[in-house]
Amino acid sequence: MKHILPELPYSLDALEPYIDAKTMEIHHSKHHQSYVDKLNAALDGHEDLLELSVEHLLTDLDKVPEEIRTAVKNNAGGHYNHSMFWKMMKHDGGGDPTGDVAEAINGEFGDFSKFKELFANAAATLFGSGWAWLVINKDNKLDVTQTHNQDSPISVGQKPLLGLDVWEHAYYLKYQNRRPEYIANWWNTVNWEQIEENYLKS
Ligand code: MN3
């Protein structure tokens, strides 16, 4: 079973003006596609591994032969992280979270603005390429974390609820070196219904 690029759940311009259509087009049809293609290339000839989902591969990387482990980690991670990321945003998103995830955020971080500050700081201070996350950690508590490159929280036993891609490819066309401005604007795209769903499933 070859891995395939999922369709975006909205049009390329749905996240304007916060994320521009050109960035979305390149990010989805070039960058994400490339993770999918390189994952399939790495798994070529490994019939047993081609049967496994990306989640399975990423939570059990030790089972992947050493000669393709790095390629699988990077590209299955890229595929998995981006597949989640697209769904974490929507047209007319943003605002405050509601429901159980809002209660959990308030319980863990004090209030939503304190959580936002922590998360934005994690995104802004990540050196190089990677992601900021809101996860449920191994102790079953909400936590704000960072991952480098395309490493995925699920490889270290965490359940990602919300993630922000801070690779330059995610924002450079519109924001150039102004990563904090991208982060500040990105909050207006967050699909809190999806984050609630992720929380309830975790
Ligand atoms: Mn990306």
Side-chain angles (χ1 to χ4, degrees):
M1 264 259 306
K2 291 238 169 196
H3 296 278
I4 54 165
L5 181 71
E7 299 259 332
L8 280 179
Y10 35 69
S11 63
L12 291 172
D13 62 359
L15 307 179
E16 294 264 12
Y18 312 112
I19 301 180
D20 58 293
K22 191 74 191 165
T23 294
M24 287 303 292
E25 182 192 344
I26 296 170
H27 200 173
H28 177 254
S29 73
K30 306 287 188 213
H31 290 279
H32 189 169
Q33 181 71 61
S34 158
Y35 297 122
V36 172
D37 293 345
K38 287 177 182 162
L39 174 62
N40 285 326
L43 296 176
D44 191 34
H46 298 266
E47 293 310 318
D48 51 329
L49 297 179
L50 275 165
E51 299 296 311
L52 303 179
S53 65
V54 274
E55 290 89 340
H56 196 141
L57 289 168
L58 288 168
T59 49
D60 216 356
L61 281 166
D62 288 347
K63 294 268 169 63
V64 176
E66 204 178 340
E67 68 269 20
I68 60 166
R69 193 176 300 149
T70 300
V72 169
K73 179 173 85 140
N74 290 341
N75 294 295
H79 181 26
Y80 181 80
N81 292 341
H82 286 85
S83 298
M84 284 201 88
F85 184 53
W86 309 133
K87 293 198 280 185
M88 289 164 171
M89 301 181 287
K90 67 169 191 176
H91 180 67
D92 273 337
D96 290 1
T98 54
D100 291 0
V101 75
E103 262 180 54
I105 286 171
N106 294 340
E108 188 58 45
F109 304 107
D111 60 42
F112 181 52
S113 69
K114 289 201 187 97
F115 158 71
K116 266 179 95 170
E117 202 180 308
L118 262 179
F119 186 96
N121 188 53
T125 59
L126 184 121
F127 184 75
S129 297
W131 295 72
W133 300 98
L134 170 67
V135 299
I136 297 182
N137 68 20
K138 282 180 175 170
D139 301 325
N140 228 15
K141 290 176 70 174
L142 291 195
D143 207 354
V144 170
T145 63
Q146 299 174 328
T147 58
H148 289 278
N149 305 313
Q150 292 298 353
D151 291 358
S152 187
I154 65 171
S155 297
V156 289
Q158 301 170 342
K159 293 167 183 158
L161 305 181
L162 174 67
L164 175 56
D165 187 345
V166 292
W167 282 57
E168 283 186 345
H169 69 223
Y171 64 85
Y172 205 84
L173 280 182
K174 183 176 172 76
Y175 296 99
Q176 293 85 49
N177 62 325
R178 304 186 307 278
R179 190 196 286 184
E181 193 182 325
Y182 159 66
I183 297 165
N185 281 344
W186 167 80
W187 289 108
N188 296 303
T189 72
V190 175
N191 180 353
W192 285 109
E193 290 82 15
Q194 181 65 50
I195 311 314
E196 169 81 345
E197 202 183 308
N198 295 345
Y199 178 70
L200 296 176
K201 270 194 292 191
S202 292

